[in-house]
Amino acid sequence: MPFNRIASQLSRLGPGLVLSVAATGLAFAMHALLPAVSVIPVMTLAVALGLLSANIPGTAVVVAGRARPGLDFAGKHLMRAGIVLLGLKVSVGDVLGLGWLSLLLIAGVVLASFAGTYGLARWLRLPGEASLLIATGFSICGASAIGAMAAVRRIKHQDTVLPVALVTLCGTLAIGVLPLLMHPLMLSPEQFGAWTGASVHDVGQVVATAQTAGTAALAIAVVVKLTRVILLAPIVAAAGLHQRVQHVRQRANGSADADNADGRFPPIVPLFVVAFIAMVAVRSLGWTPPELLEAAAVAQDILLASALFGLGSAVRVRTLIHTGGRAAVVALGSWLIIASLGLGAAWIMIR
């Protein structure tokens, strides 16, 4: 009977998973072979392909029909697997090497941009969970942070689609806009790298932006960015603790919601975030040979690109236009907030 169950699951999820992996292969091929799009990260291409597949009449039927269960599975579970492997990119030693002033500045940028984005979103009357997801994605590490926050807050998978699309769009805009501002702002390569790492969302987008200013800019950008990534765990834990306190109060008042009808509390930190922390520890202790790190980096890119294709394939442009206007204003506002804060931090960190 277990075999029949597995076969049934494969039959249900297979078409969507195969489609997401095939689209990821296409994204990698486009990135490698087409000079016009080689500056665009694979993750962004994967989202764009997902958007196209959802809005071209011929493919829209497929992604909304038989492939939908597998695409949803990719968007949720492959995203979590990619977050776990992201931990292998983070070394605590590299982070501490920035110095305590830089660490405090980076943490301040994350917290201030999180609070500013959340406040702006609530002021524009976005739903609370949408405000939380957008604030998390823009202040920490893009789609990966959105996936982690959605898990701990038990936010429906479909509610993550719009925040992921917005954070990917703005991160892509940064690749083109920030390098144009380097010379007018009279930034050194190191300052530009610090600014990029402190204000651009996804790791791939940081690399694509910073490398325009050379290897010195790229080196500091990656370390600053990964310092922001480390903050994913404590911020998610704080959100999980807040969620648990809310449930305790609801139960005390006899008003526990249906999601908690079984009496179980939501986790303070999801298991995959614990695994992410464990991977950070493994990398920091030097237990990983370079070959393993390279393989893990490739696997992470494949997992996250497949997940982002799955999420992108759920976005209907017509629906986005009707429902996403205020969210888009929040996203652009958040982009300006974190870019301004990151620029100030870069000037202080590197004089």
Side-chain angles (χ1 to χ4, degrees):
M1 296 305 163
F3 176 79
N4 292 336
R5 196 177 303 123
I6 292 173
S8 176
Q9 283 289 84
L10 288 175
S11 176
R12 187 175 71 90
L13 301 177
L17 288 174
V18 169
L19 181 59
S20 66
V21 172
T24 296
L26 178 59
F28 273 96
M30 291 172 62
H31 179 76
L33 301 176
L34 300 179
V37 297
S38 61
V39 296
I40 302 175
V42 171
M43 307 304 153
T44 302
L45 292 173
V47 173
L49 290 174
L51 287 167
L52 286 173
S53 71
N55 293 279
I56 296 175
T59 57
V61 176
V62 177
V63 301
R66 189 180 177 194
R68 191 71 257 154
L71 292 171
D72 288 340
F73 180 92
K76 181 177 181 179
H77 296 286
L78 297 189
M79 173 69 74
R80 295 182 181 185
I83 292 171
V84 172
L85 292 181
L86 179 60
L88 287 175
K89 289 187 174 181
V90 184
S91 169
V92 174
D94 291 341
V95 170
L96 293 178
L98 290 173
W100 289 107
L101 175 61
S102 295
L103 294 178
L104 290 173
L105 285 170
I106 295 166
V109 168
V110 169
L111 294 175
S113 59
F114 183 96
T117 300
Y118 187 81
L120 176 62
R122 298 303 287 155
W123 181 62
L124 289 175
R125 299 182 181 179
L126 288 189
E129 301 296 16
S131 302
L132 182 63
L133 293 180
I134 292 174
T136 304
F138 275 79
S139 62
I140 306 176
C141 56
S144 301
I146 290 171
M149 184 61 75
V152 76
R153 298 288 294 195
R154 292 185 174 177
I155 298 172
K156 294 178 180 178
H157 169 70
Q158 56 265 35
D159 292 336
T160 68
V161 171
L162 178 58
V164 166
L166 291 172
V167 77
T168 303
L169 172 63
C170 288
T172 303
L173 289 175
I175 298 171
V177 173
L178 264 61
L180 297 177
L181 298 176
M182 178 180 171
H183 294 298
L185 293 173
M186 294 183 291
L187 298 175
S188 68
E190 291 80 5
Q191 287 174 324
F192 180 75
W195 182 31
T196 300
S199 57
V200 180
H201 315 309
D202 177 77
V203 176
Q205 293 164 345
V206 168
V207 171
T209 307
Q211 68 185 3
T212 62
T215 55
L218 180 59
I220 192 168
V222 171
V223 176
V224 171
K225 173 59 191 174
L226 293 178
T227 303
R228 288 169 60 199
V229 171
I230 281 184
L231 295 173
L232 174 64
I235 287 180
V236 166
L241 183 60
H242 178 261
Q243 182 85 329
R244 178 167 292 195
V245 169
Q246 283 185 322
H247 279 298
V248 170
R249 289 176 177 171
Q250 288 173 347
R251 291 179 64 182
N253 296 330
S255 59
D257 58 30
D259 289 338
N260 199 41
D262 58 5
R264 294 183 300 170
F265 291 110
I268 292 178
V269 180
L271 184 60
F272 70 93
V273 177
V274 174
F276 163 81
I277 297 170
M279 292 299 101
V280 173
V282 168
R283 171 65 188 272
S284 301
L285 291 170
W287 293 348
T288 46
E291 297 80 9
L292 179 59
L293 291 177
E294 291 176 7
V298 173
Q300 180 218 318
D301 287 346
I302 293 172
L303 289 167
L304 290 181
S306 299
L308 289 172
F309 175 81
L311 289 169
S313 69
V315 178
R316 303 295 183 272
V317 171
R318 185 176 301 175
T319 303
L320 188 62
I321 292 173
H322 287 301
T323 64
R326 283 179 297 171
V329 172
V330 171
L332 291 173
S334 177
W335 188 38
L336 291 175
I337 289 171
I338 195 169
S340 301
L341 291 171
L343 180 60
W347 271 329
I348 296 172
M349 280 191 284
I350 301 171
R351 297 181 180 180

